[in-house]
Amino acid sequence: MTDALKRLSDEGVAIWLDDLSRKRITSGNLAELIDQSHVVGVTTNPAIFQKAISGGEGYEQQLTDLATRKVTVEEALRMITTADVRDAADILRPVYDRTDGQDGRVSIEVDPRLAHNTPATVAEAKQLAWLVDRPNTLIKIPATKAGLPAITEVIGKGISVNVTLIFSLERYRGVMDAYLAGLEKAKAAGLDLSLIHSVASFFVSRVDSEIDKRLDAVGTDEAKALKGKAALANARLAYEAYEEVFSSDRWAALERVGANKQRPLWASTGVKDPAYKDTLYVDDLVAPNTVNTMPEATLEATADHGQITGDTVRGTYDQARAELEAVAKLGISYDDVVQLLEDEGVEKFAVSWNDLLKSTEAELERLAPTEA
């Protein structure tokens, strides 16, 4: 067991792995990470599946069977991805049981091409929950404007949700409001609120990538001194918002009937600029009742040389506000940055999904039995 990962876990940060593949499942690697590296959850996204399935290992027999049945490429892809999520959920089931449903979770995303279509997102979320058929699944819904009412509707049906692609503080407040509204709908429908869980995936490194690029364009010493600070500031102020919402009277009324807090999840925590320490978005985002979903390289770096020194979020809010204000004074628009990142995030996942559809279609055609 690694001390840094244990310390992180002891500080109230749930360690989730931001990756999944059939090889990781069948080789015993996922079980090993749970056993030895304090991993208590898994997140997936279209880019992760695109990489896993295009790599091919472990998928050929299922692809052959699907080709023989002449299923559509969309159906094939859903059969493959939900099989991986189901198997991972089974491996994580003891963690789910041990933590009363808080962890031991596996996330699967709705078709990213539906990000701006509320009814289709709701329908897809219901279908995915039915297909995977495991209580420890989270259905990922993007935090687009169309995604917010979908979150309320899906939570209201008792389906647990991972809200993804959150970049802005304003949108994050909208996400928390959508979650509480969903719980209120579930309560009105007589559902057991204690069985409904949610995380809000607040993206980190991409904020620095975009703002640093703009700071470089400004080029002054003052601008350069602000590089690598905006992402942490943004995430820390998100945690301040979380503390505020989940200490409100509205929340207290739901908590009294068994509701669970929607935990902040730090996503995109792999460092993209080699000038920064590779554990930056782990070491400096330690706070109780959070999740940090890490790519394997970040998990290994944290295990090797992470510096977990206690809570690094609470007590930083004034400094965080000052840093974002300093960026704004240089003419860099926060609203412009976060909207661009949301648009790019939706587009990148849609591109990955389309690439995956094409590569899967090619495999189905290759493996299709020849007609006699």
Side-chain angles (χ1 to χ4, degrees), residues 101-142:
Q102 178 160 268
D103 288 307
R105 297 268 174 182
V106 187
S107 298
I108 184 169
E109 191 149 348
V110 297
D111 185 332
R113 298 171 300 178
L114 306 176
H116 303 296
N117 185 329
T118 303
T121 294
V122 173
E124 173 97 344
K126 287 159 60 182
Q127 173 77 354
L128 283 174
W130 177 82
L131 271 174
V132 177
D133 193 27
R134 294 294 184 271
N136 52 328
T137 310
L138 291 171
I139 306 303
K140 287 179 87 170
I141 296 175

Side-chain angles (χ1 to χ4, degrees), residues 52-371:
I53 298 167
S54 299
E57 195 168 342
Y59 295 99
E60 185 140 322
Q61 184 58 59
Q62 189 178 14
L63 279 163
T64 300
D65 291 345
L66 291 164
T68 303
R69 289 174 50 214
K70 298 181 180 179
V71 303
T72 66
V73 64
E74 283 87 358
E75 185 183 352
L77 209 42
R78 277 309 181 205
M79 291 300 103
I80 293 166
T81 57
T82 54
D84 280 358
V85 168
R86 190 180 308 113
D87 288 344
D90 288 343
I91 294 168
L92 278 155
R93 183 61 189 261
V95 177
Y96 170 84
D97 292 338
R98 188 177 75 239
T99 61
D100 292 326
Q102 178 160 268
D103 288 307
R105 297 268 174 182
V106 187
S107 298
I108 184 169
E109 191 149 348
V110 297
D111 185 332
R113 298 171 300 178
L114 306 176
H116 303 296
N117 185 329
T118 303
T121 294
V122 173
E124 173 97 344
K126 287 159 60 182
Q127 173 77 354
L128 283 174
W130 177 82
L131 271 174
V132 177
D133 193 27
R134 294 294 184 271
N136 52 328
T137 310
L138 291 171
I139 306 303
K140 287 179 87 170
I141 296 175
T144 55
K145 287 178 182 174
L148 296 180
I151 292 158
T152 296
E153 192 69 22
V154 172
I155 290 288
K157 294 182 184 302
I159 298 169
S160 295
V161 171
N162 174 345
V163 184
T164 188
L165 289 175
I166 308 171
F167 295 95
S168 85
L169 295 166
E170 181 185 4
R171 185 59 53 83
Y172 178 43
R173 286 184 178 276
V175 166
M176 291 187 284
D177 180 72
Y179 176 60
L180 297 185
L183 289 175
E184 286 158 355
K185 284 189 78 159
K187 179 185 173 186
L191 300 181
D192 183 351
L193 299 195
S194 71
L195 300 178
I196 303 171
H197 286 259
S198 184
V199 293
S201 295
F202 202 86
F203 278 54
V204 185
S205 67
R206 295 185 194 182
V207 173
D208 270 343
S209 296
E210 183 59 33
I211 288 184
D212 283 359
K213 186 168 69 179
R214 299 183 187 207
L215 289 168
D216 280 335
V218 174
T220 63
D221 288 343
E222 184 187 5
K224 289 173 185 171
L226 287 167
K227 287 181 68 176
K229 294 185 176 178
L232 289 173
N234 199 38
R236 287 165 170 171
L237 292 176
Y239 193 81
E240 181 187 41
Y242 156 80
E243 288 189 304
E244 180 188 315
V245 169
F246 288 98
S247 59
S248 66
D249 291 343
R250 184 185 182 190
W251 164 248
L254 291 162
E255 190 174 36
R256 279 194 293 272
V257 289
N260 300 290
K261 289 179 180 177
Q262 182 187 56
R263 287 183 293 171
L265 178 151
W266 311 128
S268 184
T269 55
V271 171
K272 293 179 170 56
D273 187 334
Y276 303 150
K277 63 177 179 177
D278 53 4
T279 59
L280 176 67
Y281 304 125
V282 179
D283 298 350
D284 290 15
L285 286 176
V286 177
N289 209 36
T290 58
V291 180
N292 195 310
T293 185
M294 308 179 205
E296 190 167 22
T298 305
L299 182 73
E300 289 173 352
T302 303
D304 182 64
H305 52 265
Q307 297 176 319
I308 310 304
T309 57
D311 190 331
T312 49
V313 173
R314 291 182 295 185
T316 67
Y317 305 144
D318 288 344
Q319 180 190 347
R321 255 185 294 278
E323 285 166 349
L324 288 186
E325 284 167 8
V327 169
K329 282 175 184 171
L330 293 173
I332 295 170
S333 166
Y334 176 86
D335 290 342
D336 181 65
V337 166
V338 293
Q339 188 59 56
L340 174 72
L341 291 172
E342 179 187 307
D343 293 343
E344 284 184 350
V346 171
E347 177 62 23
K348 283 175 182 173
F349 282 166
V351 167
S352 292
W353 196 249
N354 283 324
D355 288 347
L356 185 49
L357 285 168
K358 287 174 193 168
S359 60
T360 303
E361 188 168 38
E363 282 296 285
L364 291 171
E365 288 172 2
R366 182 179 71 83
L367 297 166
T370 53
E371 297 294 337

